[in-house]
Amino acid sequence: MKEHEQMTIERWCNGRLLDETSLPYSKEAIDEAVEAGRLIRRPGVVKQGRSFRCMRCQNEDPMYFYTHIRSEGEEMTYCMHCLTFGRSSTDGRFVHAPRLPIERRDVRLAWDGTYTTLQRRAADEWIESIEAGRGHLLYAVTGAGKTEVMFRAVEATVQRGGRVAVVSPRVDVVRELLPRFERAFPTARLIALYGGVKPVPFAHDIVLATTHQLYRFYEAFDAVFIDEVDAFPYTADETLHRAVERSLVPSGVVHAVTATPSRALRRTYEKEGALSIIPKRFHGYPLVEPTYDALFGYERALRKGRVPRKVERWMRRCMERRVPYLLFFPSIDVMEQTEALFRTIDPRVRAVHSEHPKRAERVRALRDGKLSGLLTSTILERGVTISSVQVAVLGAEQPIFTSEALVQIGGRVGRSADDPTGDFRLFHHGITRAMDEARRAIRSLNKRGRDVE
Amino acid sequence: MICYLCLKKRETSLSWRRLFRLREDVLCDECRQSLVPYDGKLTLSPLRDVIICYEYDESMSHLLYTYKKIGHVALAEAFISDFKRLAPLVRTHDIVPIPAHSTDVERRKFAHVDELLRAAGIPYRHLLRKRHSIQLSAMERHERLKQRHLFESISSERLTRPIVLVDDVVTTGTTLRQAAALLYERGAPDVRAFVLSRPIHNRRGNRANGRN
């Protein structure tokens, strides 16, 4: 690595917290830098009261620590929570160097698309927040063009000499954003980080990453943009919240983007005057409202090896009209067990879920028309855009279908201007509060959209 | 509680095992079921026989990678019941782990085969030392068969008890055969092997045969 031979260790680290053994520098070079105070060294895991604390992921839950007693009696404790990043242990060492000052560069947005009035207004409000040094929440419905609005906020931050991270819960989103950001910011130094990517010296203006990658950063960013802030795993993992916190400089801010913010989240940002709402989709058409379709006893029917007639009729209608469809299942097990059954109705339907190896391939096949439909878990509730897709949820009363999940699922329908409508059907064994909340949220956004402009 | 392999949280519901304080599986049901018991026999002269517990398939490969390369020593507890099968032999036999190279132990901070035995409470003796830090796993079959003098004896004392060699993976059997040859030279009356896994399908996806 010719680059690093000329680069000091502290410049290579530049605001990151890294495993000592992963650095392309000799132990002597690292020791020297630590002695000279240019690098700070910490153990991976430290004892804390009766439990431990991991310096990398900041986990303190004793359930995730394992203590190994070596034959000589010495103990070594390591953290299982961030094991996918390598072993963080009482023996292991991490080093970190404070971030170096960023040279002011002219990084302008080169994106020349048009903005709707609503997008422009949201962008202006966002920039106001940035100038006031506070974080902002963009509450934009599915298909509102939130990424393009985010471009303006990212530009404003970088132009003011700030370093930005845009994080997302899923790798496919990060991979999908990279070319869009490259086209939008041709003069910026961009990098995409996710599991398996090789470590490189850190000298970038904009980092696109999965949230977990923030474990490696220490007071490195002026702003972290969290895409889909209400999605898993961010909502369920305390260490990710801590990682965001620690990756920011003391004056740093957190911006959030989502189509389904919780009431608490809205209130937090609304209080500061840091909330923008875009209730209309980019093409101006309203969100598609759900249709409730009672399907009592569907579980029994499936167990007996029958596809409920209403579902079969729905599938056949989509097949006749030659439009793609998504059928959401509450559990992967049920879906896998009944896939064969559904294929007797439609030989060109396949199942996908988060761990399915062919997931990306099958989504592409559906988009290209090679498959006529997909049976899916909630993994496809976000991010997927397929023209003219029809969507149904089987078992909408199941607890996994929270109102946010249902709104997101409904957001798959009607995303393109030439086909802004579609069927969004909830097959249920009883109406739940989540279903009503979802429908209410969609109606209220549509009303707001009608009243605005 | 979390599963030591997938690291996901597990139901801590009351189970009969917990109630009677029997050891709970450190793997969740899904991960446990992903391990395939070895089906087949392996004849490897000059050893008397070789017992193999699991198939070395993708699941096992991932597990051993996490165990050895990342250093997830907790996984040694996943095979306690397998290695406890050696308990009846301890009184009459010497249990001998195939050694890892000393710098490898230094780097990962533990000897992977030794830990499997320790977790199961099986006492062992080191009789061999690895001579080079070569990775047989990185070699193709023909290269492995060419390897000579992988080991040397730790002492020259004459061996009087039968031996059970222990290792985590057996592929061509080169490692075990060389180790056995050295031990026979030192007078061992009998050498058998107990190995955690073996590939049934070789790298090209064909079924590997039972004898080499």
Side-chain angles (χ1 to χ4, degrees):
Chain A
M1 256 218 266
K2 239 202 289 196
E3 211 182 334
H4 94 264
E5 278 158 29
Q6 299 155 347
M7 190 183 283
T8 57
I9 308 181
E10 56 268 34
R11 180 165 285 276
W12 207 89
C13 287
N14 195 7
R16 286 183 301 176
L17 182 70
L18 300 169
D19 189 332
E20 192 173 288
T21 52
S22 72
L23 296 176
Y25 291 89
S26 64
K27 190 169 185 310
E28 295 76 47
I30 298 176
D31 286 342
E32 196 206 318
V34 172
E35 298 276 312
R38 290 160 18 223
L39 268 189
I40 301 161
R41 188 186 252 150
R42 300 168 198 272
V45 169
V46 290
K47 225 167 151 38
Q48 185 165 269
R50 289 225 191 113
S51 176
F52 299 89
R53 183 182 159 87
C54 172
M55 294 313 290
R56 183 205 272 140
C57 68
Q58 302 182 269
N59 168 53
E60 288 172 341
D61 188 342
M63 178 168 73
Y64 285 102
F65 290 105
Y66 183 82
T67 300
H68 175 231
I69 302 171
R70 286 208 271 274
S71 34
E72 307 83 55
E74 304 155 40
E75 291 186 353
M76 183 269 291
T77 304
Y78 64 95
C79 175
M80 293 190 280
H81 187 86
C82 54
L83 200 61
T84 42
F85 280 79
R87 195 174 75 181
S88 167
S89 71
T90 44
D91 281 354
R93 276 110 52 103
F94 288 87
V95 292
H96 118 259
R99 81 165 186 186
L100 296 161
I102 307 162
E103 318 98 59
R104 276 286 199 104
R105 288 162 70 246
D106 196 30
V107 172
R108 292 211 179 266
L109 180 57
W111 188 76
D112 58 357
T114 47
Y115 283 101
T116 61
T117 317
L118 287 167
Q119 281 179 307
R120 240 178 292 130
R121 188 184 311 161
D124 291 342
E125 288 167 359
W126 204 336
I127 294 173
E128 244 178 67
S129 283
I130 290 171
E131 287 175 347
R134 59 170 184 251
H136 200 82
L137 170 62
L138 176 63
Y139 173 10
V141 300
T142 52
K146 56 178 164 73
T147 310
E148 286 70 24
V149 178
M150 208 190 334
F151 285 159
R152 297 277 311 280
V154 167
E155 180 195 32
T157 310
V158 180
Q159 280 291 108
R160 281 162 183 73
R163 178 174 275 143
V164 162
V166 177
V167 301
S168 192
R170 291 197 320 272
V171 189
D172 14 8
V173 176
V174 175
R175 284 209 206 105
E176 192 236 340
L177 283 178
L178 181 62
R180 292 171 73 182
F181 268 83
E182 283 174 337
R183 272 193 302 267
F185 296 100
T187 55
R189 290 166 307 181
L190 275 170
I191 188 168
L193 298 175
Y194 41 85
V197 165
K198 284 196 64 174
V200 293
F202 181 44
H204 303 85
D205 308 300
I206 304 172
V207 172
L208 305 175
T210 47
T211 328
H212 288 88
Q213 291 291 324
L214 291 182
Y215 285 158
R216 295 203 161 109
F217 292 91
Y218 191 102
E219 298 191 0
F221 299 108
D222 298 276
V224 173
F225 289 74
I226 308 181
D227 189 24
E228 311 266 20
V229 70
D230 62 308
F232 183 84
Y234 189 71
T235 40
D237 192 342
E238 165 93 38
T239 64
L240 292 177
H241 301 193
R242 296 183 186 184
V244 169
E245 190 57 50
R246 191 176 67 177
S247 70
L248 285 166
V249 295
S251 60
V253 294
V254 178
H255 300 296
V257 180
T258 174
T260 45
S262 65
R263 243 187 295 258
L265 184 64
R266 276 184 70 162
R267 244 180 281 135
T268 310
Y269 281 90
E270 205 161 16
K271 250 193 305 190
E272 313 276 316
L275 167 66
S276 293
I277 305 183
I278 304 181
K280 266 191 145 157
R281 299 184 124 174
F282 184 76
H283 51 47
Y285 294 98
L287 297 170
V288 175
E289 283 183 32
T291 312
Y292 294 175
D293 205 337
L295 195 68
F296 298 107
Y298 69 85
E299 280 190 294
R300 197 163 3 114
L302 285 176
R303 256 193 309 241
K304 290 202 177 151
R306 284 190 296 114
V307 172
R309 216 165 308 146
K310 273 187 178 176
V311 177
E312 177 174 347
R313 268 202 302 243
W314 183 81
M315 285 170 69
R316 290 200 188 282
R317 266 203 310 271
C318 295
M319 288 157 71
E320 267 159 48
R321 294 176 49 210
R322 293 181 200 275
V323 282
Y325 62 91
L326 293 174
L327 183 57
F328 283 81
F329 281 70
S331 87
I332 297 178
D333 294 334
V334 173
M335 182 174 69
E336 291 197 308
Q337 284 156 24
T338 55
E339 185 181 352
L341 206 56
F342 285 90
R343 276 158 75 158
T344 59
I345 298 175
D346 183 354
R348 293 192 317 142
V349 73
R350 296 287 182 272
V352 292
H353 54 80
S354 54
E355 325 249 313
H356 200 289
K358 296 209 179 124
R359 184 180 90 213
E361 203 182 297
R362 289 187 175 178
V363 171
R364 262 197 308 271
L366 183 67
R367 198 177 283 135
D368 298 340
K370 299 207 182 77
L371 286 178
S372 56
L374 287 179
L375 311 179
T376 177
S377 67
T378 50
I379 188 61
L380 291 189
E381 94 189 5
R382 294 168 196 252
V384 161
T385 302
I386 299 175
S387 319
S388 303
V389 75
Q390 313 295 306
V391 167
V393 178
L394 185 58
E397 81 288 347
Q398 296 290 321
I400 194 175
F401 295 116
T402 55
S403 65
E404 290 86 359
L406 290 171
V407 172
Q408 292 283 353
I409 290 173
R412 302 308 102 216
V413 192
R415 296 179 74 100
S416 60
D418 15 84
D419 199 356
T421 57
D423 199 15
F424 173 29
R425 193 163 291 265
L426 304 182
F427 289 117
H428 66 88
H429 180 103
I431 298 175
T432 57
R433 187 184 288 180
M435 289 163 67
D436 280 340
E437 267 173 21
R439 189 170 61 176
R440 206 178 320 135
I442 292 173
R443 282 181 177 163
S444 131
L445 283 165
N446 280 340
K447 180 171 189 310
R448 211 191 252 261
R450 277 193 304 273
D451 295 344
V452 93
E453 287 203 70
Chain B
M1 292 304 317
I2 61 168
C3 166
Y4 283 1
L5 188 54
C6 62
L7 308 174
K8 292 198 203 136
K9 279 201 188 147
R10 298 167 67 181
E11 303 286 332
T12 47
S13 53
L14 201 58
S15 66
W16 289 116
R17 289 196 74 88
R18 279 193 111 195
L19 195 58
F20 290 102
R21 292 167 165 259
L22 293 169
R23 210 181 343 101
E24 274 204 274
D25 194 353
V26 296
L27 301 185
C28 65
D29 289 338
E30 217 180 302
C31 287
R32 179 56 70 187
Q33 280 155 28
S34 71
L35 300 177
V36 181
Y38 187 78
D39 177 34
K41 289 225 175 307
L42 177 59
T43 322
L44 200 61
S45 88
L47 291 100
R48 162 132 68 110
D49 61 10
V50 182
I51 294 175
I52 301 165
C53 303
Y54 297 98
E55 187 181 322
Y56 182 86
D57 61 356
E58 259 200 69
S59 306
M60 182 58 84
S61 166
H62 169 75
L63 190 153
L64 287 175
Y65 177 83
T66 312
Y67 179 57
K68 298 198 283 190
K69 295 287 188 288
I70 297 191
H72 190 12
V73 61
L75 283 173
E77 292 186 21
F79 300 109
I80 292 178
S81 42
D82 297 290
F83 284 92
K84 273 206 180 307
R85 287 160 61 188
L86 291 171
L89 296 174
V90 166
R91 200 176 49 82
T92 46
H93 292 63
D94 275 339
I95 312 289
V96 180
I98 294 287
H101 195 267
S102 57
T103 56
D104 291 341
V105 176
E106 186 51 46
R107 190 164 34 89
R108 299 178 213 139
K109 296 294 208 245
F110 70 99
H112 59 279
V113 181
D114 296 24
E115 286 305 324
L116 291 168
L117 292 166
R118 282 185 71 211
I122 304 289
Y124 55 89
R125 279 183 79 181
H126 280 128
L127 293 179
L128 299 166
R129 185 168 35 226
K130 203 163 172 193
R131 287 184 67 228
H132 321 285
S133 189
I134 21 176
Q135 293 273 50
L136 274 190
S137 54
M139 293 183 196
E140 291 293 337
R141 186 188 158 82
H142 65 275
E143 293 176 297
R144 295 187 200 209
L145 295 174
K146 275 209 296 240
Q147 293 299 319
R148 300 253 173 283
H149 307 301
L150 292 169
F151 302 106
E152 56 194 12
S153 277
I154 285 184
S155 82
S156 50
E157 151 205 337
R158 192 168 174 76
L159 300 170
T160 52
R161 288 172 17 124
I163 293 187
V164 180
L165 284 170
V166 180
D167 206 354
D168 57 321
V169 190
V170 56
T171 320
T172 54
T174 306
T175 309
L176 289 174
R177 265 200 256 110
Q178 284 200 23
L182 261 182
L183 296 171
Y184 278 127
E185 259 173 48
R186 281 174 58 186
D190 183 54
V191 179
R192 309 166 70 176
F194 184 90
V195 184
L196 186 64
S197 68
R198 179 165 192 255
I200 284 199
H201 294 96
N202 62 26
R203 259 179 247 205
R204 287 198 215 95
N206 307 315
R207 268 191 97 78
N209 54 25
R211 15 163 74 244
N212 311 292

